[in-house]
Amino acid sequence: MIRILLADDEHLIRGAIAALLGLEDDLEVVGQAATGAEALRLARALRPDVALLDLQLPDLDGVTVATTLHAELPTCRTMIVTSHGLPGHLKRALTGGVRGFLAKTVSAEVLATVVRTVHAGGRYVDPQLAAEAISAGDSPLTVREADVLTLAAEGAPVDEIARRAALSPGTVRNYLSSAVGKTGAANRHEAARIARTRGWI
Amino acid sequence: MIRILLADDEHLIRGAIAALLGLEDDLEVVGQAATGAEALRLARALRPDVALLDLQLPDLDGVTVATTLHAELPTCRTMIVTSHGLPGHLKRALTGGVRGFLAKTVSAEVLATVVRTVHAGGRYVDPQLAAEAISAGDSPLTVREADVLTLAAEGAPVDEIARRAALSPGTVRNYLSSAVGKTGAANRHEAARIARTRGWI
DNA sequence: CCCGGCGGATGACAAATGTCAGACCGTGGT
DNA sequence: ACCACGGTCTGACATTTGTCATCCGCCGGG
């Protein structure tokens, strides 16, 4: 029997997936969490075989939970299931020790199969997401450029970004300018949009 | 027996909800669609009692499907289920004849109850979404302001917005300025963000 | 019939932004 | 020891923006 921990902030979805997985003879959902913190707590208490995490959780995101789990409970395999698959998340997830990464567009049978694969020590990444990740490539942004662009994405003016990043306004403009160049955008807002769709920020 | 049509682009979710609803004695999922067009086609063919629509579908959005359905098949009640509940959508949905509007955070029991309520001619709106809709209020933006702000939201510079909206650049700036004032934002990008979270664009 | 409001436009001015060149310090590689 | 590169900063400049006043035409309500 494979013991599964499920984390998803949407009650309906969580319950529905649990019901579906419960129909399989060899799978058992032993815990359900609505937040990242709760997922960690339950994982420590229940020591499931596989943790099935949604990418977007109210507090921590799924990849962060997975990374922590991977460090604390090496015997617990982690999988990410997501609605919006951004290439950057996939890369972060894989470096964080995640062994399965799928979109919610897959069928329940596929999900169950992947749970078994992952439990057996295998890996599985949604082919379409993998293709997107490869075609999007690595982020050309330096750490600082990404930082600044993240703040810029909220629509804040340069002065505020400068304050929040503890940089001089001029430096912020330099980074933004560089980021705009690297993304091929016309201005920082478009750059932020592009970087986000590519998962670079 | 209440006959239900289910539309959601995520196979896993769709299947899972169908499985959950199928557990209820008086509910039966008679059709499943992954797109808005397919939902309409199936609804015409199957004439379900209740159509359960996701807000975001690949082609048409759930509210559009509901409005069409309401006009074509008045006996078919419509409900919207959504992950991201924006106040504007709720208003559009209700004017389009939708009788149930809930977030995916509800439990399966609630969903089943609401399906029965709606089928019996009642209405149900998620209390939290209703509260947000009321507090967000009506859009203060004029049609043109909303148009221009929508284009601005993609990060395009004024000149491009002007070309795409067939307006003079000066006019575009006037509208944006007015929209920035009405949203209380510091610049158009923040204004676009605010307007989006409020469902105004 | 007249007023107000919206759509649309122009011109002018101030502020924010984008771009560039140049400078200084660490750090890691050769 | 040296160089390249990233991070940081400054200053100068052109361009883009946000803001405001003002104008025109149209339409609907009092």
Side-chain angles (χ1 to χ4, degrees):
Chain A
M1 187 68 96
I2 304 178
R3 301 174 67 247
I4 302 171
L5 171 67
L6 203 57
D8 191 313
D9 59 326
E10 300 181 318
H11 193 155
L12 182 58
I13 308 307
R14 200 169 68 234
I17 293 179
L20 274 184
L21 291 178
L23 295 177
E24 308 283 328
D25 292 337
D26 55 338
L27 306 182
E28 181 186 10
V29 175
V30 294
Q32 297 187 22
T35 67
E38 195 183 347
L40 287 175
R41 204 167 41 70
L42 283 179
R44 291 187 190 110
L46 301 170
R47 311 206 149 243
D49 299 315
V50 177
L52 199 57
L53 309 165
D54 190 295
L55 192 50
Q56 47 260 220
L57 292 168
D59 46 356
L60 315 166
D61 81 6
V63 177
T64 310
V65 175
T67 309
T68 311
L69 236 43
H70 191 244
E72 281 191 33
L73 299 173
T75 61
C76 172
R77 319 287 198 187
T78 51
M79 292 177 53
I80 300 278
V81 184
T82 177
S83 308
H84 324 286
L86 297 181
H89 291 147
L90 175 52
K91 169 163 290 238
R92 265 183 65 221
L94 292 179
T95 33
V98 167
R99 312 189 66 99
F101 198 103
L102 0 160
K104 280 185 182 166
T105 48
V106 302
S107 67
E109 300 88 71
V110 172
L111 179 64
T113 308
V114 175
V115 168
R116 292 189 193 100
T117 305
V118 165
H119 177 248
R123 289 168 175 273
Y124 182 88
V125 172
D126 185 296
Q128 192 178 339
L129 292 178
E132 278 168 25
I134 290 165
S135 78
D138 265 12
S139 171
L141 302 177
T142 66
V143 177
R144 248 54 236 304
E145 282 163 3
D147 284 355
V148 170
L149 200 51
T150 305
L151 293 170
E154 292 168 35
V158 170
D159 282 358
E160 190 186 326
I161 299 174
R163 257 186 296 111
R164 291 222 264 159
L167 287 174
S168 98
T171 306
V172 169
R173 291 201 279 165
N174 286 339
Y175 286 151
L176 288 176
S177 183
S178 156
V180 165
K182 287 175 178 176
T183 50
N187 56 52
R188 61 216 177 87
H189 305 286
E190 197 187 339
R193 232 176 21 85
I194 292 173
R196 222 195 315 242
T197 62
R198 301 247 231 278
W200 293 346
I201 61 172
Chain B
M1 188 67 98
I2 303 179
R3 302 174 66 247
I4 302 172
L5 171 66
L6 202 57
D8 191 312
D9 59 327
E10 300 182 319
H11 192 155
L12 183 58
I13 309 306
R14 201 168 68 234
I17 293 179
L20 274 184
L21 291 179
L23 296 177
E24 307 284 327
D25 292 337
D26 55 338
L27 306 182
E28 181 187 8
V29 175
V30 294
Q32 296 187 22
T35 67
E38 195 181 348
L40 287 174
R41 204 165 44 70
L42 283 179
R44 291 185 190 113
L46 302 170
R47 313 206 147 243
D49 298 315
V50 177
L52 198 59
L53 309 165
D54 190 295
L55 192 52
Q56 46 260 226
L57 292 168
D59 46 356
L60 315 165
D61 82 8
V63 178
T64 310
V65 175
T67 309
T68 311
L69 235 42
H70 192 243
E72 281 190 32
L73 300 173
T75 61
C76 173
R77 318 286 198 190
T78 52
M79 291 176 54
I80 300 279
V81 184
T82 176
S83 309
H84 323 286
L86 298 180
H89 291 147
L90 176 52
K91 169 161 288 235
R92 267 182 65 218
L94 292 179
T95 35
V98 167
R99 312 188 66 100
F101 198 103
L102 5 161
K104 280 185 181 166
T105 48
V106 302
S107 67
E109 300 86 72
V110 172
L111 179 63
T113 308
V114 175
V115 169
R116 292 188 193 101
T117 305
V118 165
H119 176 247
R123 288 167 175 275
Y124 182 88
V125 172
D126 185 296
Q128 192 177 341
L129 291 178
E132 278 169 25
I134 291 165
S135 78
D138 267 13
S139 171
L141 302 177
T142 66
V143 177
R144 246 57 231 304
E145 283 164 3
D147 285 356
V148 169
L149 200 53
T150 306
L151 292 170
E154 292 167 36
V158 170
D159 282 358
E160 190 186 327
I161 299 174
R163 260 185 295 109
R164 291 221 265 161
L167 288 175
S168 99
T171 305
V172 169
R173 290 201 285 172
N174 286 338
Y175 285 150
L176 287 176
S177 184
S178 156
V180 165
K182 287 176 179 176
T183 50
N187 56 50
R188 63 221 178 81
H189 306 285
E190 197 186 339
R193 233 176 22 84
I194 293 174
R196 227 200 306 248
T197 63
R198 300 246 229 279
W200 293 346
I201 60 172

